[in-house]
């Protein structure tokens, strides 16, 4: 019989995977369907979110709660890029946000917001933070 920590840890893992999968599919949708090319910082964030979706899916399939050991560094580095991008967005870091392409939208443009004005860099930071929190809960359940 499975213990409660293991079962609840699996549900936390599933939630982390769903967040990563939805974020990855949303990024693909924005780029491929809406035709908005990502900026350099968006590419770096994608470079850490896309593997998380795959790694967490495999971990869910295999019920591998030890995934936090290798997913947590990916999520943390991605969160650092998202935090830097968010700080650039609000102007706390004095550097101009370059347009995503020569003729494309800027990350600071209105078309790069969702849910009534939430900028995409903030959304990415929120998703990375939520995944980190879920992975830390999984870690706590594994070690208890």
């Amino acid at each position: 019989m499975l213990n409660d920590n293991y079962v609840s840890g699996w549900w936390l893992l599933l939630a982390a995977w769903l967040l990563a999968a939805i974020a990855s599919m949303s990024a693909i949708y924005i780029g491929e369907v809406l035709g908005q090319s990502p900026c350099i910082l968006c590419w770096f964030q994608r470079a850490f979110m896309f593997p998380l979706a795959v790694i967490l899916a495999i971990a869910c399939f295999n019920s591998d709660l030890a995934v936090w050991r290798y997913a947590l560094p990916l999520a943390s580095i991605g969160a650092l890029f998202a935090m830097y991008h968010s700080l650039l967005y609000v102007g706390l870091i004095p550097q101009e946000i370059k347009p995503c392409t020569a003729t494309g939208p800027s990350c600071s443009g209105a078309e790069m917001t969702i849910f009534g004005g939430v900028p995409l860099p903030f959304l990415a930071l929120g998703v990375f933070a939520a995944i980190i929190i879920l992975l830390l809960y999984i870690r706590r359940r594994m070690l208890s």
Side-chain angles (χ1 to χ4, degrees):
M1 178 174 271
L2 299 173
N3 72 30
D4 289 337
N5 277 345
Y6 181 81
V7 173
S8 59
W10 187 86
W11 284 105
L12 294 169
L13 179 59
L14 180 65
W17 170 70
L18 285 172
L19 283 171
I22 291 168
S24 296
M25 289 186 285
S26 298
I28 291 170
Y29 177 81
I30 289 169
E32 299 301 319
V33 176
L34 298 181
Q36 296 179 359
S37 299
C39 70
I40 298 298
L41 290 173
C42 290
W43 273 117
F44 281 114
Q45 292 166 58
R46 288 178 179 199
F48 290 95
M49 185 63 73
F50 289 177
L52 273 174
V54 174
I55 289 169
L56 294 172
I58 294 168
C60 278
F61 183 76
N62 292 325
S63 298
D64 179 14
L65 297 183
V67 68
W68 66 267
R69 289 186 175 105
Y70 40 95
L72 192 57
L74 275 176
S76 299
I77 295 169
L80 289 174
F81 278 109
M83 180 176 287
Y84 178 74
H85 199 178
S86 297
L87 293 174
L88 273 175
Y89 184 88
V90 296
L92 291 177
I93 296 176
Q95 180 180 346
E96 181 181 320
I97 297 177
K98 296 181 172 51
C100 294
T101 63
T103 59
S106 170
C107 288
S108 61
E111 60 277 351
M112 296 306 273
T113 60
I114 195 169
F115 301 131
V118 177
L120 291 178
F122 292 176
L123 195 58
L125 179 59
V127 171
F128 277 119
I131 291 171
I132 289 168
I133 290 168
L134 289 167
L135 291 171
L136 289 173
Y137 276 124
I138 291 168
R139 177 182 176 269
R140 177 186 290 170
R141 293 191 185 281
M142 284 286 300
L143 299 177
S144 64

